[in-house]
Structure formats: C-alpha cells, structure tokens
Amino acid sequence: QLQFVESGGGLVRPGGSLRLSCVVSGVTSDYYAVGWFRQAPGKEHEGVSCISSDDDSTYYSDSVQGRFTISRDNAKNTVYLQMNMLQPEDTAIYFCAADPLPLTSQLMCKLPISYRGQGTQVTVSS
C-alpha cells in the first residue's frame, strides 16, 4: 500500500511561484511511475505532470507546459513540482499519485489513478 505526504501549497499572487513536495512511502523499488494531478471545484481531475517508471521521460499537460517542472529524488522517495508564473486558473487541490506498473509518463497522467495522496491546496489570487 503506497502512502503519500504532500506539502508546499498555499496562497500566491498571479505570476508567483510555489514548489510542491510529495514523499512516497510503501514502495519496494525505485521503479514506479509518479505524477502530480490537480482538481478544481466542480471539475474532473487533471494529470498535470508525470514521470515514467524508468525515469526516462516526463509529461506535461498543455496548460502547464513551460511553467511547471517535475523532478524526483529516489534517495528520498520524493517527487517535486516547481510551479512558476502561476495564474488564477491554476487554483486547485494538487495531489501526487504513483503506480508500480511500468508506465510511460503520459500513461501515468492519463490512466485511472491507482494510489494517491490527499493533496495540498494551491490558491492563486491577487
């Protein structure tokens, strides 16, 4: 059973930055796909950015491409999401998710979620 602890959310003005962190526990190897998702009120969740099982590829949704950067530190079982140039439409609960299957980054972000955390609130407002 995978477990997650997300942190780093908060209130930021448009144009600002935040860095989210997610510690993943319960993994038995470094070979797992992981990603960040978000869900705004009244909307379906969206795969924002994901890393493949073999760490070989990353995926970004069109809405965050060029502004967000995902990374992982396997020694710490931690995945990060650096978010720059934040806009009000980025406001949502951000949660991380993982899957022990050998997934590409795009599949991780597109397929139904297997394991996920509770999330952290990100609010972008002036």
Side-chain angles (χ1 to χ4, degrees), residues 11-107:
L11 173 64
V12 64
R13 295 183 183 277
S17 299
L18 284 174
R19 188 193 193 205
L20 305 183
S21 299
C22 173
V23 179
V24 185
S25 61
V27 294
T28 57
S29 76
D30 293 335
Y31 191 77
Y32 60 95
V34 66
W36 284 97
F37 297 73
R38 67 186 181 187
Q39 187 163 20
K43 294 186 177 181
E44 295 287 327
H45 72 255
E46 172 191 13
V48 173
S49 182
C50 295
I51 298 177
S52 61
S53 303
D54 59 4
D55 260 350
D56 192 47
S57 70
T58 55
Y59 166 87
Y60 295 93
S61 66
D62 290 343
S63 58
V64 307
Q65 178 75 46
R67 301 187 296 124
F68 291 10
T69 303
I70 191 171
S71 61
R72 68 194 286 178
D73 183 339
N74 288 330
K76 297 180 179 180
N77 284 337
T78 301
V79 59
Y80 304 97
L81 186 67
Q82 177 66 44
M83 307 186 294
N84 298 328
M85 297 174 59
L86 284 161
Q87 301 300 319
E89 53 265 35
D90 295 317
T91 295
I93 294 174
Y94 285 70
F95 61 92
C96 64
D99 199 310
L101 293 176
L103 298 176
T104 65
S105 55
Q106 186 170 7
L107 285 178

Coordinates of all heavy atoms in Angstrom, one line a residue, residues 11-107:
L11 N -1.2 30.2 -0.6 CA -1.8 31.3 -1.4 C -0.6 32.1 -2.0 O 0.3 32.5 -1.3 CB -2.6 32.2 -0.4 CG -3.1 33.5 -1.0 CD1 -4.1 33.2 -2.1 CD2 -3.7 34.4 0.1
V12 N -0.8 32.4 -3.3 CA 0.3 33.1 -4.0 C -0.4 34.0 -5.0 O -1.5 33.8 -5.5 CB 1.2 32.1 -4.8 CG1 0.5 31.3 -5.8 CG2 2.4 32.8 -5.3
R13 N 0.2 35.2 -5.3 CA -0.3 36.1 -6.2 C 0.0 35.6 -7.7 O 0.9 34.9 -7.9 CB 0.4 37.5 -6.0 CG 0.0 38.1 -4.7 CD 0.6 39.5 -4.6 NE 0.4 40.1 -3.3 CZ -0.7 40.8 -3.0 NH1 -1.7 40.9 -3.9 NH2 -0.9 41.3 -1.8
P14 N -0.8 36.1 -8.6 CA -0.6 35.8 -10.0 C 0.9 36.1 -10.4 O 1.4 37.2 -10.1 CB -1.6 36.6 -10.8 CG -2.7 36.8 -9.8 CD -2.1 36.9 -8.5
G15 N 1.5 35.2 -11.1 CA 2.9 35.4 -11.5 C 3.9 34.9 -10.5 O 5.1 34.8 -10.8
G16 N 3.4 34.4 -9.4 CA 4.3 33.9 -8.4 C 4.6 32.5 -8.6 O 4.3 31.8 -9.6
S17 N 5.4 31.9 -7.6 CA 5.9 30.5 -7.7 C 5.6 29.8 -6.4 O 5.6 30.4 -5.3 CB 7.4 30.5 -8.0 OG 7.7 31.2 -9.2
L18 N 5.5 28.5 -6.6 CA 5.4 27.6 -5.4 C 6.2 26.3 -5.8 O 6.2 25.9 -7.0 CB 4.0 27.2 -5.1 CG 3.1 28.2 -4.3 CD1 1.7 27.7 -4.2 CD2 3.7 28.5 -3.0
R19 N 6.6 25.6 -4.8 CA 7.3 24.3 -5.0 C 6.6 23.2 -4.1 O 6.6 23.4 -2.9 CB 8.8 24.3 -4.7 CG 9.5 23.0 -5.1 CD 10.9 23.0 -4.4 NE 11.7 22.0 -5.0 CZ 12.7 21.4 -4.4 NH1 13.0 21.7 -3.1 NH2 13.5 20.5 -5.0
L20 N 5.9 22.3 -4.8 CA 5.3 21.2 -4.1 C 6.2 20.0 -3.9 O 7.0 19.7 -4.7 CB 4.0 20.8 -4.8 CG 3.0 21.8 -5.2 CD1 1.8 21.2 -5.9 CD2 2.6 22.6 -4.0
S21 N 6.0 19.4 -2.7 CA 6.8 18.1 -2.5 C 5.9 17.0 -2.1 O 4.8 17.2 -1.5 CB 7.8 18.4 -1.3 OG 8.7 19.4 -1.6
C22 N 6.3 15.8 -2.4 CA 5.5 14.6 -2.1 C 6.4 13.5 -1.7 O 7.2 13.1 -2.5 CB 4.6 14.2 -3.3 SG 3.7 12.7 -3.0
V23 N 6.3 13.1 -0.5 CA 7.1 11.9 0.0 C 6.2 10.7 -0.2 O 5.1 10.6 0.3 CB 7.5 12.1 1.4 CG1 8.3 10.9 1.9 CG2 8.3 13.3 1.6
V24 N 6.8 9.7 -0.9 CA 6.1 8.4 -1.2 C 6.6 7.3 -0.3 O 7.9 7.1 -0.2 CB 6.2 8.0 -2.6 CG1 5.4 6.8 -2.9 CG2 5.8 9.2 -3.6
S25 N 5.8 6.6 0.4 CA 6.3 5.5 1.3 C 5.5 4.3 0.9 O 4.4 4.3 0.2 CB 6.1 5.8 2.7 OG 4.7 6.0 3.0
G26 N 6.1 3.1 1.2 CA 5.5 1.8 0.9 C 6.0 1.3 -0.4 O 5.6 0.2 -0.8
V27 N 6.9 2.0 -1.1 CA 7.4 1.5 -2.4 C 8.5 0.5 -2.1 O 9.2 0.6 -1.1 CB 8.0 2.6 -3.2 CG1 6.9 3.5 -3.7 CG2 9.1 3.4 -2.5
T28 N 8.7 -0.5 -2.9 CA 9.6 -1.6 -2.7 C 10.8 -1.4 -3.7 O 11.8 -2.2 -3.6 CB 9.0 -2.9 -2.9 OG1 8.4 -3.0 -4.2 CG2 7.9 -3.2 -1.9
S29 N 10.7 -0.5 -4.6 CA 11.9 -0.2 -5.5 C 11.7 1.2 -6.0 O 10.8 1.9 -5.7 CB 11.8 -1.2 -6.7 OG 10.8 -0.9 -7.6
D30 N 12.7 1.6 -6.8 CA 12.7 2.9 -7.4 C 11.9 2.9 -8.7 O 11.7 4.0 -9.3 CB 14.1 3.4 -7.7 CG 14.9 3.7 -6.4 OD1 14.2 3.9 -5.3 OD2 16.1 3.6 -6.4
Y31 N 11.5 1.7 -9.1 CA 10.8 1.6 -10.4 C 9.3 1.8 -10.3 O 8.6 0.8 -10.2 CB 11.2 0.2 -11.0 CG 10.8 0.1 -12.5 CD1 11.7 0.6 -13.5 CD2 9.7 -0.6 -12.9 CE1 11.4 0.5 -14.8 CE2 9.4 -0.8 -14.2 CZ 10.2 -0.2 -15.2 OH 9.9 -0.4 -16.5
Y32 N 8.9 3.0 -10.3 CA 7.5 3.3 -10.3 C 7.2 4.6 -10.9 O 8.0 5.5 -10.9 CB 6.9 3.3 -8.8 CG 7.5 4.3 -7.9 CD1 6.9 5.6 -7.7 CD2 8.7 4.0 -7.2 CE1 7.5 6.5 -6.8 CE2 9.2 4.9 -6.3 CZ 8.6 6.2 -6.1 OH 9.2 7.1 -5.3
A33 N 6.1 4.7 -11.6 CA 5.7 6.0 -12.2 C 5.0 6.9 -11.2 O 4.4 6.4 -10.2 CB 4.7 5.7 -13.4
V34 N 5.2 8.1 -11.3 CA 4.7 9.1 -10.3 C 4.3 10.4 -11.0 O 4.8 10.7 -12.1 CB 5.8 9.3 -9.2 CG1 7.0 10.1 -9.8 CG2 5.2 10.1 -8.0
G35 N 3.4 11.1 -10.4 CA 2.9 12.3 -11.0 C 2.2 13.2 -10.1 O 1.8 12.8 -9.0
W36 N 1.9 14.4 -10.6 CA 1.1 15.4 -9.9 C -0.2 15.6 -10.7 O -0.2 15.7 -11.9 CB 1.9 16.7 -9.8 CG 2.9 16.7 -8.8 CD1 4.3 16.5 -8.9 CD2 2.7 16.9 -7.4 NE1 4.9 16.6 -7.7 CE2 4.0 16.8 -6.7 CE3 1.6 17.2 -6.6 CZ2 4.2 17.0 -5.4 CZ3 1.8 17.4 -5.2 CH2 3.0 17.3 -4.6
F37 N -1.3 15.7 -10.0 CA -2.6 15.9 -10.5 C -3.2 17.1 -9.8 O -2.8 17.4 -8.7 CB -3.5 14.6 -10.4 CG -2.9 13.4 -11.1 CD1 -1.8 12.8 -10.6 CD2 -3.6 13.0 -12.2 CE1 -1.3 11.6 -11.3 CE2 -3.1 11.8 -12.9 CZ -2.0 11.2 -12.5
R38 N -4.3 17.6 -10.4 CA -5.0 18.7 -9.7 C -6.5 18.6 -10.0 O -6.9 18.0 -11.0 CB -4.5 20.0 -10.1 CG -4.8 20.4 -11.6 CD -4.1 21.8 -11.9 NE -4.3 22.2 -13.2 CZ -3.8 23.3 -13.8 NH1 -2.9 24.0 -13.1 NH2 -4.1 23.6 -15.0
Q39 N -7.2 19.1 -9.0 CA -8.7 19.0 -9.1 C -9.2 20.3 -8.6 O -9.1 20.7 -7.4 CB -9.3 17.9 -8.4 CG -10.8 17.7 -8.7 CD -11.3 16.3 -8.3 OE1 -10.7 15.6 -7.6 NE2 -12.5 16.0 -8.9
A40 N -9.9 21.1 -9.5 CA -10.5 22.3 -9.1 C -12.0 22.0 -8.8 O -12.6 21.0 -9.2 CB -10.5 23.3 -10.3
P41 N -12.6 22.9 -8.0 CA -14.0 22.6 -7.6 C -14.9 22.4 -8.8 O -14.9 23.2 -9.8 CB -14.4 23.9 -6.9 CG -13.1 24.4 -6.3 CD -12.1 24.1 -7.4
G42 N -15.7 21.4 -8.8 CA -16.7 21.1 -9.9 C -16.1 20.6 -11.2 O -16.8 20.4 -12.2
K43 N -14.8 20.2 -11.1 CA -14.1 19.7 -12.4 C -13.5 18.4 -12.1 O -13.2 18.0 -11.0 CB -13.0 20.7 -12.8 CG -13.5 22.0 -13.3 CD -12.4 22.9 -13.8 CE -12.9 24.2 -14.4 NZ -11.8 25.0 -15.0
E44 N -13.3 17.6 -13.2 CA -12.6 16.4 -13.1 C -11.1 16.6 -12.8 O -10.6 17.7 -13.1 CB -12.7 15.6 -14.5 CG -14.1 15.2 -14.9 CD -14.6 14.0 -14.0 OE1 -13.7 13.2 -13.7 OE2 -15.8 14.0 -13.7
H45 N -10.5 15.6 -12.3 CA -9.0 15.8 -12.0 C -8.3 15.8 -13.3 O -8.7 15.2 -14.3 CB -8.5 14.8 -11.0 CG -8.4 13.4 -11.5 ND1 -9.3 12.4 -11.2 CD2 -7.5 12.9 -12.3 CE1 -8.9 11.3 -11.8 NE2 -7.8 11.5 -12.5
E46 N -7.1 16.5 -13.3 CA -6.3 16.6 -14.5 C -4.9 16.1 -14.2 O -4.3 16.5 -13.1 CB -6.2 18.1 -14.9 CG -5.2 18.4 -16.0 CD -5.0 19.9 -16.2 OE1 -5.5 20.7 -15.3 OE2 -4.5 20.3 -17.2
G47 N -4.3 15.3 -15.0 CA -2.9 15.0 -14.9 C -2.0 16.1 -15.3 O -2.0 16.5 -16.5
V48 N -1.3 16.8 -14.4 CA -0.6 18.0 -14.7 C 0.8 17.6 -15.2 O 1.3 18.1 -16.2 CB -0.4 18.8 -13.4 CG1 0.5 20.0 -13.6 CG2 -1.8 19.3 -12.9
S49 N 1.5 16.7 -14.5 CA 2.9 16.4 -14.9 C 3.2 15.0 -14.3 O 2.9 14.8 -13.1 CB 3.9 17.4 -14.5 OG 5.2 17.1 -14.9
C50 N 3.9 14.2 -15.1 CA 4.2 12.8 -14.6 C 5.6 12.4 -15.1 O 6.1 13.0 -16.0 CB 3.2 11.8 -15.1 SG 1.5 12.1 -14.4
I51 N 6.2 11.5 -14.3 CA 7.5 10.9 -14.7 C 7.3 9.4 -14.9 O 6.6 8.7 -14.1 CB 8.5 11.1 -13.6 CG1 8.8 12.6 -13.4 CG2 9.8 10.4 -13.9 CD1 9.7 12.9 -12.2
S52 N 7.9 8.8 -15.9 CA 7.8 7.4 -16.2 C 8.5 6.5 -15.2 O 9.3 7.0 -14.3 CB 8.4 7.1 -17.6 OG 9.8 7.5 -17.5
S53 N 8.1 5.3 -15.2 CA 8.7 4.3 -14.2 C 10.2 4.2 -14.3 O 10.8 4.1 -13.2 CB 8.1 2.9 -14.5 OG 6.7 2.9 -14.5
D54 N 10.8 4.4 -15.5 CA 12.2 4.2 -15.6 C 12.9 5.6 -15.6 O 14.1 5.7 -15.9 CB 12.5 3.5 -16.9 CG 12.0 4.3 -18.2 OD1 11.4 5.4 -18.0 OD2 12.1 3.7 -19.3
D55 N 12.2 6.6 -15.1 CA 12.8 8.0 -15.0 C 13.2 8.5 -16.3 O 14.0 9.5 -16.4 CB 14.0 7.9 -14.1 CG 13.6 8.4 -12.7 OD1 12.5 9.0 -12.5 OD2 14.4 8.3 -11.8
D56 N 12.8 7.9 -17.4 CA 13.3 8.3 -18.7 C 12.6 9.4 -19.4 O 13.0 10.0 -20.4 CB 13.4 7.1 -19.7 CG 14.2 7.3 -20.9 OD1 15.3 7.9 -20.8 OD2 13.7 7.0 -22.0
S57 N 11.3 9.7 -19.0 CA 10.5 10.7 -19.7 C 9.6 11.4 -18.7 O 9.3 10.9 -17.6 CB 9.7 10.0 -20.8 OG 8.7 9.2 -20.2
T58 N 9.3 12.6 -19.1 CA 8.3 13.4 -18.4 C 7.2 13.9 -19.3 O 7.4 14.0 -20.5 CB 9.0 14.7 -17.7 OG1 9.7 15.4 -18.8 CG2 10.0 14.3 -16.7
Y59 N 6.1 14.1 -18.7 CA 4.9 14.6 -19.4 C 4.4 15.8 -18.7 O 4.3 15.9 -17.5 CB 3.8 13.5 -19.5 CG 2.5 14.0 -19.9 CD1 2.1 14.1 -21.3 CD2 1.5 14.5 -19.0 CE1 0.9 14.6 -21.7 CE2 0.3 15.0 -19.4 CZ 0.0 15.0 -20.7 OH -1.2 15.5 -21.1
Y60 N 3.9 16.8 -19.6 CA 3.3 18.0 -19.0 C 2.0 18.2 -19.8 O 2.0 18.1 -21.0 CB 4.2 19.2 -19.2 CG 5.4 19.1 -18.4 CD1 6.6 18.6 -18.9 CD2 5.5 19.6 -17.0 CE1 7.8 18.6 -18.1 CE2 6.6 19.5 -16.3 CZ 7.8 19.0 -16.8 OH 8.9 18.9 -16.1
S61 N 0.9 18.6 -19.1 CA -0.3 19.0 -19.8 C 0.0 20.3 -20.5 O 0.8 21.1 -20.1 CB -1.4 19.1 -18.8 OG -1.2 20.2 -17.9
D62 N -0.8 20.5 -21.5 CA -0.7 21.8 -22.3 C -0.8 23.0 -21.4 O -0.2 24.0 -21.7 CB -1.7 21.8 -23.4 CG -1.4 20.8 -24.5 OD1 -0.3 20.3 -24.6 OD2 -2.3 20.5 -25.3
S63 N -1.6 22.9 -20.4 CA -1.9 24.1 -19.6 C -0.8 24.5 -18.7 O -0.8 25.6 -18.2 CB -3.2 23.8 -18.7 OG -3.0 22.7 -17.9
V64 N 0.2 23.6 -18.5 CA 1.3 24.0 -17.6 C 2.7 23.9 -18.3 O 3.7 24.3 -17.7 CB 1.4 23.1 -16.4 CG1 0.0 23.1 -15.6 CG2 1.8 21.7 -16.7
Q65 N 2.7 23.4 -19.5 CA 3.9 23.2 -20.3 C 4.7 24.6 -20.3 O 4.1 25.6 -20.6 CB 3.6 22.8 -21.7 CG 4.8 22.7 -22.6 CD 5.6 21.4 -22.3 OE1 5.1 20.3 -22.1 NE2 6.9 21.6 -22.2
G66 N 6.0 24.5 -20.0 CA 6.8 25.7 -20.0 C 6.8 26.5 -18.7 O 7.6 27.4 -18.5
R67 N 5.8 26.2 -17.8 CA 5.8 26.9 -16.5 C 6.1 26.0 -15.3 O 6.6 26.5 -14.3 CB 4.3 27.5 -16.3 CG 3.9 28.4 -17.4 CD 2.6 29.1 -17.1 NE 1.5 28.2 -17.0 CZ 0.7 28.0 -15.9 NH1 0.9 28.8 -14.8 NH2 -0.3 27.2 -15.9
F68 N 5.7 24.7 -15.4 CA 5.9 23.8 -14.3 C 7.1 22.8 -14.7 O 7.3 22.5 -15.8 CB 4.7 23.0 -14.1 CG 3.5 23.7 -13.5 CD1 3.5 25.1 -13.4 CD2 2.4 23.0 -13.0 CE1 2.4 25.8 -12.9 CE2 1.3 23.7 -12.5 CZ 1.3 25.1 -12.4
T69 N 7.8 22.4 -13.6 CA 8.8 21.4 -13.8 C 8.7 20.3 -12.7 O 8.7 20.6 -11.5 CB 10.2 22.0 -13.7 OG1 10.3 23.1 -14.7 CG2 11.3 21.0 -13.9
I70 N 8.7 19.0 -13.2 CA 8.6 17.9 -12.2 C 10.0 17.3 -12.1 O 10.8 17.3 -13.1 CB 7.6 16.9 -12.7 CG1 7.3 15.8 -11.6 CG2 8.0 16.2 -14.0 CD1 6.1 14.9 -11.9
S71 N 10.3 16.8 -10.9 CA 11.5 16.1 -10.7 C 11.3 15.1 -9.5 O 10.3 15.2 -8.8 CB 12.6 17.1 -10.3 OG 12.3 17.8 -9.2
R72 N 12.2 14.2 -9.4 CA 12.2 13.2 -8.3 C 13.5 12.9 -7.8 O 14.5 13.0 -8.5 CB 11.5 11.9 -8.8 CG 12.3 11.1 -9.8 CD 11.4 10.0 -10.4 NE 11.1 8.9 -9.6 CZ 10.3 7.9 -9.9 NH1 9.8 7.9 -11.1 NH2 10.1 6.9 -9.1
D73 N 13.6 12.6 -6.5 CA 14.8 12.3 -5.8 C 14.5 10.9 -5.2 O 13.9 10.7 -4.2 CB 15.1 13.3 -4.7 CG 16.4 13.0 -4.0 OD1 16.9 11.8 -4.0 OD2 17.0 13.9 -3.3
N74 N 15.0 9.8 -5.9 CA 14.7 8.5 -5.5 C 15.4 8.1 -4.1 O 14.8 7.3 -3.4 CB 15.2 7.5 -6.5 CG 14.4 7.5 -7.8 OD1 13.2 7.8 -7.7 ND2 15.0 7.2 -8.9
A75 N 16.5 8.8 -3.8 CA 17.1 8.5 -2.5 C 16.2 9.0 -1.3 O 16.2 8.4 -0.2 CB 18.4 9.3 -2.4
K76 N 15.3 9.9 -1.6 CA 14.4 10.5 -0.6 C 13.0 10.0 -0.9 O 12.1 10.4 -0.1 CB 14.5 12.0 -0.6 CG 15.8 12.5 -0.2 CD 15.8 14.1 -0.1 CE 17.2 14.6 0.3 NZ 17.1 16.1 0.3
N77 N 12.8 9.3 -1.9 CA 11.4 8.9 -2.3 C 10.5 10.1 -2.4 O 9.3 10.1 -1.9 CB 10.8 7.8 -1.4 CG 11.4 6.5 -1.6 OD1 11.9 6.1 -2.6 ND2 11.3 5.6 -0.5
T78 N 11.0 11.1 -3.0 CA 10.3 12.4 -3.0 C 10.1 12.9 -4.5 O 11.1 12.8 -5.2 CB 11.0 13.5 -2.2 OG1 11.1 13.0 -0.8 CG2 10.2 14.8 -2.2
V79 N 9.0 13.4 -4.8 CA 8.8 14.0 -6.1 C 8.4 15.5 -5.9 O 7.6 15.8 -4.9 CB 7.7 13.2 -6.9 CG1 6.4 13.2 -6.2 CG2 7.5 13.8 -8.3
Y80 N 8.9 16.3 -6.7 CA 8.7 17.8 -6.6 C 7.9 18.3 -7.8 O 8.0 17.7 -8.9 CB 10.0 18.5 -6.5 CG 10.9 18.0 -5.4 CD1 11.9 17.0 -5.6 CD2 10.7 18.4 -4.1 CE1 12.7 16.6 -4.6 CE2 11.5 18.0 -3.0 CZ 12.5 17.1 -3.3 OH 13.3 16.6 -2.3
L81 N 7.2 19.4 -7.6 CA 6.6 20.1 -8.7 C 6.9 21.6 -8.5 O 6.4 22.2 -7.6 CB 5.1 19.9 -8.8 CG 4.5 20.5 -10.0 CD1 4.9 19.8 -11.3 CD2 2.9 20.5 -9.9
Q82 N 7.8 22.1 -9.3 CA 8.1 23.6 -9.3 C 7.2 24.3 -10.2 O 7.1 24.0 -11.4 CB 9.6 23.8 -9.8 CG 10.0 25.3 -9.8 CD 10.0 25.9 -8.5 OE1 10.5 25.4 -7.5 NE2 9.4 27.1 -8.4
M83 N 6.4 25.2 -9.6 CA 5.4 25.9 -10.4 C 5.7 27.4 -10.5 O 5.8 28.0 -9.4 CB 4.0 25.7 -9.7 CG 3.6 24.2 -9.5 SD 2.0 24.0 -8.9 CE 2.1 24.8 -7.3
N84 N 5.9 27.8 -11.7 CA 6.3 29.2 -11.9 C 5.2 29.9 -12.7 O 4.4 29.2 -13.4 CB 7.6 29.4 -12.7 CG 8.7 28.8 -11.9 OD1 8.8 28.8 -10.6 ND2 9.7 28.2 -12.6
M85 N 5.2 31.2 -12.7 CA 4.2 32.0 -13.5 C 2.8 31.5 -13.2 O 2.0 31.3 -14.1 CB 4.5 31.9 -14.9 CG 5.9 32.5 -15.3 SD 6.3 32.3 -17.0 CE 5.0 33.1 -17.9
L86 N 2.4 31.3 -12.0 CA 1.1 30.8 -11.6 C 0.0 31.8 -11.9 O 0.2 33.0 -11.9 CB 1.1 30.5 -10.1 CG 1.8 29.2 -9.7 CD1 2.1 29.2 -8.2 CD2 1.0 28.0 -10.1
Q87 N -1.1 31.3 -12.4 CA -2.3 32.0 -12.8 C -3.5 31.6 -12.0 O -3.5 30.5 -11.4 CB -2.5 31.9 -14.3 CG -1.3 32.3 -15.1 CD -1.0 33.8 -14.9 OE1 -1.9 34.6 -14.9 NE2 0.3 34.0 -14.9
P88 N -4.5 32.4 -11.9 CA -5.7 32.1 -11.1 C -6.3 30.7 -11.6 O -6.8 30.0 -10.7 CB -6.7 33.2 -11.4 CG -5.8 34.4 -11.6 CD -4.6 33.9 -12.3
E89 N -6.2 30.4 -12.8 CA -6.7 29.1 -13.3 C -5.9 27.9 -12.8 O -6.4 26.8 -13.0 CB -6.8 29.1 -14.8 CG -5.6 29.5 -15.6 CD -5.5 30.9 -15.9 OE1 -6.0 31.8 -15.1 OE2 -4.9 31.2 -17.0
D90 N -4.8 28.1 -12.2 CA -4.0 27.0 -11.6 C -4.6 26.7 -10.2 O -4.1 25.7 -9.6 CB -2.6 27.4 -11.5 CG -1.9 27.6 -12.8 OD1 -2.2 26.7 -13.7 OD2 -1.1 28.6 -13.0
T91 N -5.5 27.5 -9.7 CA -6.1 27.2 -8.4 C -6.8 25.8 -8.3 O -7.6 25.6 -9.2 CB -7.1 28.3 -8.0 OG1 -6.4 29.6 -7.9 CG2 -7.8 28.0 -6.7
A92 N -6.4 25.0 -7.4 CA -6.9 23.6 -7.3 C -6.3 22.9 -6.1 O -5.3 23.5 -5.5 CB -6.6 22.9 -8.6
I93 N -6.8 21.8 -5.8 CA -6.1 20.9 -4.9 C -5.1 20.0 -5.7 O -5.5 19.4 -6.7 CB -7.1 20.0 -4.1 CG1 -7.9 20.8 -3.2 CG2 -6.3 18.9 -3.3 CD1 -9.0 20.0 -2.5
Y94 N -3.9 20.1 -5.3 CA -2.8 19.3 -6.1 C -2.5 18.1 -5.2 O -2.2 18.2 -4.0 CB -1.6 20.2 -6.3 CG -1.8 21.2 -7.3 CD1 -2.6 22.3 -7.1 CD2 -1.1 21.1 -8.6 CE1 -2.8 23.3 -8.1 CE2 -1.2 22.0 -9.6 CZ -2.1 23.1 -9.3 OH -2.2 24.1 -10.3
F95 N -2.5 16.9 -5.9 CA -2.2 15.7 -5.2 C -1.2 14.9 -6.0 O -1.2 15.0 -7.3 CB -3.4 14.9 -4.8 CG -4.3 14.4 -6.0 CD1 -4.1 13.2 -6.5 CD2 -5.3 15.2 -6.4 CE1 -4.9 12.8 -7.6 CE2 -6.1 14.8 -7.5 CZ -5.9 13.6 -8.1
C96 N -0.4 14.1 -5.4 CA 0.5 13.2 -6.1 C -0.1 11.8 -6.1 O -0.9 11.4 -5.3 CB 1.9 13.3 -5.6 SG 2.2 12.7 -3.9
A97 N 0.4 11.1 -7.1 CA -0.1 9.7 -7.3 C 1.0 8.9 -7.9 O 2.0 9.4 -8.5 CB -1.3 9.7 -8.2
A98 N 1.0 7.6 -7.7 CA 2.0 6.7 -8.2 C 1.4 5.3 -8.6 O 0.3 5.0 -8.2 CB 3.1 6.5 -7.1
D99 N 2.2 4.6 -9.4 CA 1.8 3.3 -9.9 C 3.0 2.4 -10.0 O 4.0 2.8 -10.7 CB 1.0 3.5 -11.2 CG 0.2 2.3 -11.5 OD1 0.7 1.1 -11.4 OD2 -1.0 2.4 -11.9
P100 N 3.0 1.3 -9.4 CA 4.2 0.4 -9.6 C 4.3 -0.3 -10.9 O 5.3 -1.0 -11.2 CB 3.9 -0.7 -8.4 CG 2.4 -0.7 -8.3 CD 2.0 0.7 -8.5
L101 N 3.3 -0.1 -11.8 CA 3.4 -0.8 -13.1 C 4.4 0.0 -14.0 O 4.6 1.2 -13.7 CB 2.0 -0.7 -13.8 CG 0.9 -1.6 -13.2 CD1 -0.4 -1.4 -13.9 CD2 1.4 -3.1 -13.2
P102 N 5.0 -0.6 -15.0 CA 5.9 0.0 -15.9 C 5.2 1.0 -16.9 O 4.8 0.5 -18.0 CB 6.6 -1.1 -16.6 CG 5.6 -2.2 -16.6 CD 4.9 -2.1 -15.3
L103 N 4.9 2.2 -16.5 CA 4.2 3.1 -17.3 C 5.1 4.2 -17.8 O 6.0 4.7 -17.2 CB 3.1 3.8 -16.4 CG 2.0 2.9 -15.8 CD1 1.1 3.7 -14.9 CD2 1.2 2.2 -16.9
T104 N 4.7 4.7 -19.0 CA 5.3 5.9 -19.6 C 4.7 7.1 -18.8 O 3.7 7.0 -18.1 CB 5.0 6.1 -21.0 OG1 3.6 6.3 -21.2 CG2 5.4 4.9 -21.9
S105 N 5.4 8.2 -18.9 CA 4.9 9.4 -18.2 C 3.5 9.8 -18.7 O 2.7 10.2 -17.9 CB 5.9 10.6 -18.4 OG 6.1 10.8 -19.8
Q106 N 3.2 9.7 -20.0 CA 1.9 10.1 -20.5 C 0.8 9.2 -20.0 O -0.2 9.6 -19.6 CB 1.9 10.1 -22.0 CG 0.6 10.7 -22.6 CD 0.7 10.9 -24.1 OE1 1.7 10.6 -24.7 NE2 -0.3 11.6 -24.6
L107 N 1.1 7.9 -20.0 CA 0.1 6.9 -19.4 C -0.1 7.2 -18.0 O -1.3 7.1 -17.5 CB 0.6 5.5 -19.7 CG 0.5 5.0 -21.1 CD1 1.0 3.6 -21.2 CD2 -1.0 5.1 -21.6

